[in-house]
Structure formats: C-alpha cells, structure tokens
Amino acid sequence: MKKYLLSLAVVSLFYAESDACAWSDPDYEYFNLFTQSIIKDKSYLPFLHSYSTRFYTDFKPSLIPDENIESWKRFFNNQFTYSETAYLVNTMTMNELNALKKGNPTNPLFTKAGPGFYQKYSEAIDYLIEAKYLEPYMRINYVESADSFYYSEPQSGKNATSLDYNKTIAALTSLYNAARNPEIKQRYGYQLVRFNHYTRNYDAALKAFKRYVEPIRLKGAPYIMALDQLAGAQRGLGMSSDANWNFFQVFKDSKSRKESAFVSMKLSDTASFNNILKRASTDDEKNMAYFLLGYEDFNNPIPVMEKMYDINPDSEILKVMAVRSINELERSYLPIYYYQNNDTGSTVQSGSVIKDSDHSTAPAAEPAKKELSFWQKIVRFFKNLFSSKNKSSDGNKSGQSDEELAENPNRIPVFTKNNYYYDEQTKNFLDDLEKFTDKAKEKSKDEYWQIADAYLKFLKKDYKASSEILDNIKTANPEYQQEIKRMKVLNDIVSQPKIDAAYEDHLIKDYAEYFIDKPEAKKDSTESDGYDYYDEAPSTADFLKDVLANRYLLQGEDGKSFLMNNKLSDLQYNPNSALVKSVEDFYRKPNKTQFEQQIVAKNLNDVGNIDAFFTIIYGDRAMRQADFEKARSYYAKAQNFSGIPRSEWNYDQKKVMPLQYSATAYNGFNNISDLVFGHNILVSYQSSPAESMEKEDYVAFPFIKPVMNKFQLSDMLLQLKKIGAGRDERAAKANQLIGNLLYNTSVLGYYRQLFVMDLDNTNGGKYDFPGPDQQKPNPYYYKNFLDRSYMEPDNFDLAINYYKKALQLSTDKERKARVLFQMASAEQGKYYQYEAKNPLKIDYSDPKYDEKSGAYLKQLSQIKNQKYRTYFTMLKTQYADTETAKDLMGSCTYFGYFIQ
C-alpha cells in the first residue's frame, strides 16, 4: 500500500475549493474505486493519472518488464529466471564473471548453469565484463549552462571523459569486429554510440550508429538502447525534429524506457506532435502519436480517443486513455470530502471535468425518471395527505419511503466542483465517455470495456444496469475479477434505499472485510524514515463508510451518521444540541444490531463517565439559554464527570495519553472562579484573570464562593434569580450579576470557554461569529466535523434583559452607568452577529469592487448607529458625568472614541 508524508502541494494553487488544511496531496483526495493499474500492458503504468507527480508512481517498479533483461534471458536459452538474469546483468560483479572465464566460478548461479557455460556463451560473458567495466563511467560530463539539457550526477565524479577516448574507441571497435554473434556485435555498437554521445562527440555518435548498429538488421533491445543514445546525440546537435522522432520510436518499442523517452521528446506544444504525426506511416505509429497528444491534454481526449479507436479498437493505449478519463471523473464524483457551498449550503455544483472550449457546460441529467401521469400525481397527493407515517422532529426523515430516499439528490456519490485545474466543469463528459465505452465494448474482445462501462453507470447512479453488465462478464483475469467483485459490492450498498437492521445484518455477514478493521500491517523497514506522519490512502472501505454515514443522515439517524466517521469525544469541539441528542439516543439504544455494536458503537470512545459527558453538554446549553433550573438538574447528574477528554504527550511513557487534571485546574466542571460574576477592566484573553477581570461587591450574596463547580454555580444563579425578583437595590445587584455571567460566558466574554466544552479562552473557531455557511449543517455526512467550527449562537438579549431589570431597579447612578456599558457591550455582540450573517458578496474581479465595498461599509455603519448603539448613546447623553463613564473613557478606547 502506498503511503505518504503530508507535504505542501503546489497543486493546491489550482484548487477550485479551498482545502480544510493547506497540507494535502491531491492523489489522496478521492477513493480510486476504479483501479487504474488493471491495464494489461504494465509498461504504461507511469502514464496513468496523477496530480501529485508528473508520472504515476503507485505501483511496484518490477511490474514493468525490461526488454534488455528479457533479451538476455532468451539469449541464455531461458535457463535463468527473469530475476536471475537481471542479477547476472545488473548486479553480478566483474570479478565473478572473470572467475567464470578463468574456469573457477564462485557464484552459485553458474553452478546452476552447469559445466561448459562459459564456452557456450563466451562472447556474451566477455561483453558483460566489458560493459561492467564501462558502466561506472557512462554518464555525460555535466557542463552547467542556463539552458542545459543534462543534469548533474553529484554521487560520483566519474563520467565518460574520465576514460581515454582513443583507447576506448579502439577497444570497442576491436571487440565489435571480433564478435560473431549479431546480437553481441550490435551491443558493442550500442556502446560505441553511447560513449561518443556521453563524450559529446555527437557527430561520431551518429556515424557509429550508421556504421555499427544499423547494418545489423535486428530491432530488439540493443537496437532500442542504441536508438535512445542516437536521439540524445541528435538533441545535442540541435536536430530537434529527428531527435523527437527517434525518442518517439524508443517510446513506442521499449517497455522500460517509455517514461525517459517521453521526457526526452520535450513535447512542449501541439506543433511538436504534428511533426511526429506527419512522419507516422504505420497505424501503430499514428495510434501512438494520438496517445501522446491525448496524454498531454491539449484538448478534450474524446476526439483523440475516437481517432485511436478508428485505428485499433483493441489498442492497449486506448484503455490507458480511458482509465485516465475515468480517474478524472472520479475526482469530481468521489472526493474524500464534499465541501459546502458558502452561498447555498449545497455542494452539488455544475462544472467541467475536461478543459474544452467546444464542450457544452450544461449540467448532465440524472438517470432518467418516468414522468408521472395526471392520475398518478393525484394518487400520490392523497397518499401523502392521508399517510399514517409518523411526523417526527427530524423533518419526517425517518418516515420517508424507499422511493423518496432513493431519489434524494444528496445521496453520495454526487457531482461536485472538486477539481484541481479547471474552473469550468461539465457532467456532459460522463455521458460522452459512456457513449464511447459502450461502443468500444461492442468492438473489442477485452472485458476491460465492459467493466469500464459498468463503472460509469455506477457513477450515474444507474446501479441496475451496472450490476447487469457485471453479472454477464466472463473473465479469467485476476485483476478484472477483483475489480468486478468490488463493483458488485458498491452497487449493492449504494443502491440500497434504506439501511435498516436487516440490511445491517447483511453487511456484517457478507461484507465484513470492508468494515471490520484489520490488524495493522508491519511497515517494511525500507518504508521508514524515522517519522510516523504517514497515513493510508483512501480505500473502498473508507468510501463505503462515507456512503453509510450519508445514508444514516438522510434517514434522520444523525447519531449513527456522526459515529461512522467520528469519536464520541469529538462532540466536545462543536456540541450542537440536536446532534448530541441523536448520538445519545444511539448510545442508549437497546438491542443494537451486530453491525451497530461492532462498527458504529466502537466510536463511543473513552470520555470517562459517558452519562456525565452528555449531561455536561446539556447543562452547558441550558446555562447559555439562561435556564438555570434545567442546568442545575443536569449538573446534579454530572458529579462523576472526569474532565473534558483531552490528550497530552507523556514524556515518561513516550506516547499520547489522557490529560490528567490537577486538583485546582478547570476541567469542564470544577474550579470556576467567582470572577465569572465580575466585569472587564481589560479586554485581553491572553492576560491573567486578575489583569482582565474585576470582582463586583458580593457582600450581599454570601453564598457566592471564591471557587465553585458548575452545579454550585447553577444553584447560586437560581438564588440570584430569586433575589432579583424583588424591587430593591439588592435585586438590582442580583440581576446585574446574572447579566455579567451571561455576558462573560458569551463569545465576547473572558470566560467564553465555560459552557462550550473548552478548557481556556484561547482564540479559535469556536469563538467566531458564524456566517450563513456555518449555520447550515452539512447535507452529506459529519466526516469533516472537526474541520469546521460551529457553535449555537449566543442570545445576547438574555444578558440585556437582566441588565434592564438592574437598570430599572437601581437608584445608584454609578451602577447604572456600569450596567449601561455592559448592555452596550452585549448589544455590540448582536451587531457582530448581524454583520456575520450579512457578508459582502462581491467578487474581487468586479470592476466596481471598490465602489460596491465602500457602499457596503457605509450601509453597515448606518445600521450600526441606528440599531446597535442604543446603550452607548444613553451612557453618553445621561451618564457622561459619572466616575464610571470617565474611567471607561480612559480604559475603553472604543467608548472614548464614541464619546468624542
């Protein structure tokens, strides 16, 4: 399995959507359900689709055969295996070959070969000895220049100019003339061409090819290797067209040199391809030229594929083009995240997979649906009208019919604008590719096209047609069989309208391999570099997990949807009340199915006492709603709460372990300071409580303790609320303290962490004012739950209402001034909420951007002064002479500015 170390991808500059994290690898952001590498001709593996690297690398290099090794294997009459031949040619030392020549073989391979091996193959062994002598020097002498074609080899100081030119040429020429076997003779010719190329004797290299290679009419591996060197020499002479043509021949005929030959061709524009196409005389050459044109993606690949199909519908490189196109489609239909559109809350967007100015940009149609007759519409109306299905709090999600569930537009997979290079996308490409594949499967004998056609129908949600195609495929190819098996599972699960208990039993019985975690494989020592920031590429199992999370969400089972991709402890970061309730309902569900027990419930991870964990969340929410009685009833059940489940690095045990709270630390329940009833003297979250906050006078309320837990805090608030119902100065003070607490624990307050499952007030997404995009739940699943922050908004009117009571009841002008300032601060929070919900929606490219943004800011200023400056105005006009107002002018820059 390929692994990756997260690194900053340059390709992220081209993203149509911003990643949740800037460190990403685009080849790990879709599931690759259609395995690219099932192509039969493995020499084309580097040319499969990849965004991370110039060439595809997710395969074992040994899968690509080396024609040179195959040639030697045949030369030695197949008495060695491929790997043994590769060892003999590439690894065996010159000393071991000389020992064989002297009649004293030391290598076990020659024992296997038997006596008389050298006598039979003396010319070949002598050639290998000479080749191994030359090999360390066979690189060009690097001369740096601004447009140098060659690159430095810093690992060795040796190069071809380290050898005596005349002696080397004479020796190779003599060996060439002495050789009797044509293949060995041609190999010496190859060495002559290569040596002249690497010593920059380009003319001599061309002459050597004509004199020593061409006359031997063999077109095997030695000829291809020599042609590769000839093309390099031609490049050195500036013969670009001839060099490209010969590199093209190497690309066409070689198995192991395709990638290097492609790079050497330096095809930078359409004209370069046209020159090759003009020189192509055979169907094979034309087909290959079209492949290169389509591979470089200068235009829509379908027309190029049509030309290739007309030449040879069974062409293997045509399948390479098809699988690249399928992979491109996958990235828009099967991303690992479905990003939410900020404007609409939806991720279903139109766009284009292929850059093609002639292509339509109209969105593709979903699978055709029958138009209902007038009578059917009437029947459906009365069915819905008199349906006995329960109308539940989840918007009747749980009462949806199979038809309604199957037709939900948010069922994964869906088309998204999740592409890296093109702003314009079109679903029409899927239709075009399906038409082409349907035609190819009728003409070609390869089952590949049937598998591809079935997969495209899967992407179009035509699961029945896809399954029928798969059922009719007969193949002995093990890679095809594996792909068919996986696709049948995909069709089964993705087409299921509703995931109920019976279907969950089917999943755990028949598809357990996709859902039950396997023991982690031991990492190969060659893969380790001492760091462990690796992760597995997204898998079929991950995709199916996403599908089920999506299905549970659409069915109204949010808790199960959440737990498919998250841990229970993750609720601490975005404790949405409705979601928490759904997760709790699943936790308390009796008689869970085996699937629910083994797959879903395993994510009910260690949060200490689970009941206390839930009640803390509910109690906190009640506090933010100023429902102190309800909060107290929840907190009474949370006495066993062991702390917000956080982790820390244990240096003694050298691993991550649960955070151990000290006896005096705030842990989400205990050790709350009475400063929570105080007021700001400095708005600085990073400062200490003593620097930022000041206590009120608590003498009239002896039940307020210096340190308390949440249960005690809620009890104190109930007492204050009871006192605040009076009509005296003490009642005014009680209401002021309640208002202070509600403000101090809001998003603007110093103790903003107390009722949102956080440990401190350090800035973060929890404390942002949510805009329209954050207030809509993700319509697909909770997979990226931790990638976006959402807190249920504060109700600043709750604090303001308590302050109003304090203002009405108090006769102390200084206190009134302080209360008015606190009310103004809460009112400022209401303005921030308004501004976040009404963002500027103007593109930077708008020619009138400055004018429109200026008008927007002017409008905001007017709204702020008209609707959200009520209490600042009262403080300025009625209480500017108080000591409190004067102190505020010195400590609060904004108030000072407002007064002036």
Side-chain angles (χ1 to χ4, degrees):
M1 174 66 72
K2 175 183 174 185
K3 304 220 174 186
Y4 72 108
L5 177 61
L6 291 180
S7 61
L8 183 60
V10 176
V11 75
S12 65
L13 296 173
F14 301 100
Y15 279 16
E17 295 287 345
S18 297
D19 256 325
C21 176
W23 300 85
S24 60
D25 182 341
D27 282 336
Y28 285 77
E29 298 193 351
Y30 74 109
F31 294 98
N32 196 19
L33 300 182
F34 190 87
T35 308
Q36 291 193 82
S37 57
I38 66 172
I39 58 171
K40 291 179 179 176
D41 189 341
K42 303 303 181 185
S43 67
Y44 289 100
L45 287 174
F47 298 90
L48 298 177
H49 207 3
S50 172
Y51 280 141
S52 305
T53 54
R54 183 174 185 186
F55 295 100
Y56 184 75
T57 59
D58 196 7
F59 62 90
K60 294 180 180 178
S62 59
L63 288 173
I64 300 179
D66 187 332
E67 63 274 1
N68 185 41
I69 302 302
E70 291 178 333
S71 178
W72 277 113
K73 185 174 180 292
R74 289 191 299 272
F75 188 92
F76 291 123
N77 202 30
N78 295 314
Q79 59 183 301
F80 300 131
T81 64
Y82 180 90
S83 59
E84 289 172 337
T85 307
Y87 172 77
L88 170 61
V89 174
N90 297 328
T91 308
M92 189 177 290
T93 66
M94 196 162 51
N95 289 337
E96 289 176 302
L97 291 173
N98 276 317
L100 171 67
K101 184 174 181 178
K102 293 174 182 178
N104 300 307
T106 57
N107 194 289
L109 190 62
F110 296 137
T111 304
K112 173 183 177 180
F117 179 77
Y118 175 74
Q119 287 72 19
K120 185 176 181 181
Y121 297 109
S122 58
E123 284 192 347
I125 300 301
D126 289 345
Y127 169 79
L128 287 172
I129 292 172
E130 180 67 15
K132 288 179 183 292
Y133 167 73
L134 293 172
E135 192 59 35
Y137 302 93
M138 286 302 103
R139 54 183 49 86
I140 203 154
N141 179 27
Y142 179 68
V143 178
E144 181 143 10
S145 67
D147 58 351
S148 178
F149 171 62
Y150 299 100
Y151 59 92
S152 174
E153 294 277 0
Q155 70 271 24
S156 171
K158 295 179 180 180
N159 61 70
T161 61
S162 303
L163 297 170
D164 185 290
Y165 178 79
N166 292 326
K167 286 184 178 180
T168 305
I169 291 295
L172 287 172
T173 304
S174 175
L175 290 167
Y176 176 89
N177 292 329
R180 294 291 173 262
N181 184 284
E183 186 173 335
I184 300 300
K185 188 181 276 289
Q186 196 176 51
R187 286 184 181 278
Y188 282 118
Y190 153 69
Q191 295 290 356
L192 282 161
V193 177
R194 180 166 71 151
F195 181 64
N196 277 300
H197 173 204
Y198 287 163
T199 55
R200 298 184 187 275
N201 290 288
Y202 300 133
D203 280 321
L206 269 63
K207 291 174 183 177
F209 185 84
K210 284 189 171 295
R211 182 174 181 180
Y212 301 115
V213 177
E214 271 191 338
I216 301 170
R217 302 195 176 280
L218 297 176
K219 298 289 186 178
Y223 178 84
I224 294 171
M225 294 157 62
L227 191 64
D228 196 21
Q229 296 298 320
L230 171 67
Q234 289 171 327
R235 179 77 69 203
L237 289 171
M239 303 167 61
S240 296
S241 181
D242 289 336
N244 275 353
W245 176 252
N246 285 322
F247 279 129
F248 173 70
Q249 296 297 321
V250 174
F251 179 88
K252 177 173 68 71
D253 296 331
S254 171
K255 296 177 181 177
S256 60
R257 287 171 170 76
K258 289 191 186 298
E259 185 178 324
S260 63
F262 178 84
V263 173
S264 298
M265 271 187 273
K266 300 179 74 172
L267 301 172
S268 58
D269 52 37
T270 308
S272 301
F273 288 106
N274 289 337
N275 289 334
I276 289 177
L277 195 57
K278 287 177 184 177
R279 297 180 69 165
S281 57
T282 67
D283 284 348
D284 196 25
E285 289 174 341
K286 292 176 182 177
N287 203 26
M288 192 64 66
Y290 282 126
F291 169 75
L292 293 177
L293 179 62
Y295 175 78
E296 281 293 57
D297 200 27
F298 290 132
N299 55 21
N300 177 10
I302 296 289
V304 174
M305 291 168 66
E306 292 284 2
K307 292 180 183 295
M308 294 171 68
Y309 173 85
D310 291 339
I311 294 171
N312 180 10
D314 279 317
S315 168
E316 191 67 18
I317 52 177
L318 182 56
K319 296 163 199 164
V320 177
M321 290 297 296
V323 80
R324 286 174 56 83
S325 298
I326 290 173
N327 185 269
E328 180 72 31
L329 278 169
E330 280 199 17
R331 294 168 188 269
S332 290
Y333 280 88
L334 305 174
I336 60 170
Y337 292 134
Y338 285 85
Y339 296 102
Q340 183 166 316
N341 182 283
N342 289 347
D343 295 327
T344 65
S346 170
T347 64
V348 183
Q349 304 170 34
S350 62
S352 141
V353 175
I354 299 300
K355 180 174 62 176
D356 177 18
S357 58
D358 297 326
H359 232 51
S360 168
T361 56
E366 293 287 340
K369 298 174 185 176
K370 292 182 179 179
E371 179 68 27
L372 295 177
S373 69
F374 176 73
W375 177 249
Q376 287 174 317
K377 291 177 181 178
I378 292 177
V379 171
R380 176 174 288 188
F381 169 78
F382 281 104
K383 273 188 176 181
N384 293 335
L385 185 64
F386 298 108
S387 173
S388 60
K389 295 172 185 172
N390 293 327
K391 303 290 183 182
S392 60
S393 60
D394 59 17
N396 199 31
K397 285 183 179 180
S398 59
Q400 297 175 89
S401 68
D402 283 359
E403 182 183 9
E404 289 170 326
L405 289 167
E407 292 180 0
N408 192 307
N410 290 335
R411 284 170 64 88
I412 293 176
V414 295
F415 179 84
T416 69
K417 195 172 184 179
N418 194 67
N419 187 278
Y420 301 96
Y421 288 101
Y422 312 120
D423 293 330
E424 296 292 326
Q425 292 197 352
T426 176
K427 292 183 185 178
N428 286 21
F429 181 66
L430 175 54
D431 295 330
D432 292 344
L433 187 59
E434 184 186 29
K435 291 174 185 175
F436 180 86
T437 303
D438 193 55
K439 177 173 65 174
K441 76 176 183 180
E442 298 301 325
K443 195 78 174 281
S444 174
K445 300 179 180 67
D446 195 334
E447 300 91 357
Y448 166 87
W449 293 107
Q450 298 176 60
I451 299 172
D453 190 40
Y455 188 75
L456 294 175
K457 286 179 169 53
F458 161 77
L459 290 182
K460 295 187 75 171
K461 301 186 181 182
D462 192 351
Y463 308 120
K464 181 180 179 182
S466 177
S467 297
E468 288 175 352
I469 294 170
L470 294 171
D471 289 339
N472 291 322
I473 298 176
K474 308 297 180 186
T475 180
N477 184 313
E479 289 185 297
Y480 287 2
Q481 290 173 342
Q482 188 64 28
E483 182 67 28
I484 291 168
K485 176 184 176 184
R486 175 165 57 250
M487 287 176 60
K488 285 182 176 180
V489 175
L490 291 172
N491 277 324
D492 181 1
I493 295 176
V494 178
S495 65
Q496 177 67 16
K498 185 173 184 177
I499 311 300
D500 54 18
Y503 195 76
E504 286 177 342
D505 290 341
H506 164 56
L507 291 176
I508 202 70
K509 177 183 177 183
D510 298 319
Y511 303 137
E513 62 187 286
Y514 293 101
F515 299 104
I516 295 179
D517 294 334
K518 302 178 181 66
E520 187 173 349
K522 189 176 181 180
K523 185 186 293 185
D524 190 297
S525 60
T526 60
E527 296 179 8
S528 176
D529 63 355
Y531 244 146
D532 196 27
Y533 291 150
Y534 288 86
D535 199 3
E536 296 286 350
S539 65
T540 302
D542 294 323
F543 172 73
L544 292 176
K545 188 187 297 182
D546 284 3
V547 168
L548 292 178
N550 170 246
R551 299 301 189 261
Y552 289 136
L553 183 70
L554 298 181
Q555 292 171 196
E557 299 178 83
D558 288 47
K560 288 171 70 173
S561 177
F562 172 83
L563 290 171
M564 287 301 296
N565 281 309
N566 304 279
K567 304 291 186 184
L568 173 62
S569 56
D570 292 338
L571 284 175
Q572 66 183 284
Y573 297 104
N574 299 301
N576 174 283
S577 298
L579 175 60
V580 173
K581 182 63 171 64
S582 186
V583 174
E584 185 191 20
D585 288 345
F586 173 76
Y587 161 65
R588 301 190 186 283
K589 178 183 176 182
N591 304 318
K592 294 182 179 70
T593 67
Q594 187 181 356
F595 183 88
E596 289 175 329
Q597 293 175 42
Q598 293 185 243
I599 310 306
V600 187
K602 70 179 181 181
N603 285 330
L604 294 168
N605 64 326
D606 185 15
V607 296
N609 186 299
I610 294 181
D611 293 324
F613 179 77
F614 282 119
T615 53
I616 284 289
I617 294 177
Y618 294 140
D620 287 351
R621 180 57 180 155
M623 287 291 273
R624 296 181 73 210
Q625 293 174 323
D627 191 339
F628 308 130
E629 188 171 358
K630 182 185 286 187
R632 185 180 183 278
S633 67
Y634 280 124
Y635 290 146
K637 304 171 188 175
Q639 304 293 330
N640 293 326
F641 184 64
S642 57
I644 298 173
R646 296 289 172 90
S647 300
E648 63 179 348
W649 179 258
N650 187 298
Y651 288 94
D652 295 330
Q653 300 195 33
K654 295 181 179 179
K655 63 179 181 179
V656 176
M657 297 185 68
L659 175 63
Q660 299 298 313
Y661 293 93
S662 69
T664 58
Y666 173 67
N667 70 346
F669 185 74
N670 296 312
N671 300 311
I672 300 171
S673 168
D674 61 352
L675 281 172
V676 73
F677 288 112
H679 61 263
N680 281 107
I681 53 175
L682 173 67
V683 181
S684 173
Y685 298 109
Q686 290 74 36
S687 300
S688 68
E691 292 174 295
S692 289
M693 301 296 294
E694 185 176 86
K695 288 187 179 183
E696 301 287 356
D697 180 8
Y698 303 146
V699 173
F701 312 105
F703 51 83
I704 296 179
K705 307 298 181 186
V707 179
M708 64 205 94
N709 62 34
K710 286 185 174 179
F711 174 75
Q712 294 167 334
L713 178 62
S714 60
D715 191 63
M716 294 173 194
L717 284 163
L718 284 173
Q719 294 184 60
L720 288 171
K721 184 177 179 181
K722 185 176 181 180
I723 295 169
R727 306 298 300 172
D728 56 8
E729 197 69 31
R730 187 167 180 250
K733 185 65 175 178
N735 282 296
Q736 181 187 3
L737 293 182
I738 297 174
N740 283 356
L741 178 131
L742 291 174
Y743 177 79
N744 289 335
T745 56
S746 75
V747 67
L748 294 177
Y750 184 81
Y751 289 99
R752 58 187 180 178
Q753 74 272 19
L754 287 189
F755 303 132
V756 294
M757 271 267 182
D758 207 351
L759 293 178
D760 57 44
N761 63 21
T762 305
N763 200 24
K766 276 188 176 183
Y767 307 123
D768 294 336
F769 284 90
D773 58 315
Q774 291 173 288
Q775 295 180 23
K776 297 175 182 177
N778 190 299
Y780 297 100
Y781 48 25
Y782 291 97
K783 181 174 183 176
N784 52 343
F785 182 75
L786 297 181
D787 291 349
R788 60 192 291 268
S789 294
Y790 169 71
M791 287 299 306
E792 290 158 331
D794 291 298
N795 184 350
F796 286 100
D797 282 328
L798 295 173
I800 289 173
N801 288 337
Y802 278 101
Y803 284 137
K804 282 182 178 178
K805 293 177 184 177
L807 193 66
Q808 292 168 358
L809 295 173
S810 180
T811 57
D812 185 333
K813 194 170 184 180
E814 293 294 333
R815 176 173 296 156
K816 284 175 174 284
R818 165 59 62 184
V819 169
L820 274 172
F821 180 75
Q822 292 296 111
M823 294 172 77
S825 298
E827 192 177 40
Q828 182 77 357
K830 292 179 67 175
Y831 169 73
Y832 292 146
Q833 290 176 336
Y834 170 84
E835 187 179 286
K837 292 177 182 177
N838 297 276
L840 176 64
K841 294 182 180 180
I842 305 173
D843 194 278
Y844 283 113
S845 61
D846 190 319
K848 295 185 176 181
Y849 176 82
D850 290 339
E851 179 184 337
K852 292 179 179 179
S853 61
Y856 167 77
L857 293 175
K858 183 178 180 180
Q859 182 186 29
L860 285 182
S861 181
Q862 291 175 345
I863 292 173
K864 185 191 303 182
N865 288 319
Q866 292 171 3
K867 295 185 177 181
Y868 299 101
R869 289 291 177 266
T870 310
Y871 306 113
F872 267 135
T873 302
M874 289 176 64
L875 185 58
K876 177 182 177 179
T877 57
Q878 301 176 33
Y879 297 89
D881 59 336
T882 61
E883 291 300 318
T884 300
K886 292 174 183 178
D887 288 344
L888 287 170
M889 284 183 65
S891 61
C892 178
T893 305
Y894 189 88
F895 181 62
Y897 170 77
F898 183 83
I899 291 292
Q900 295 168 11

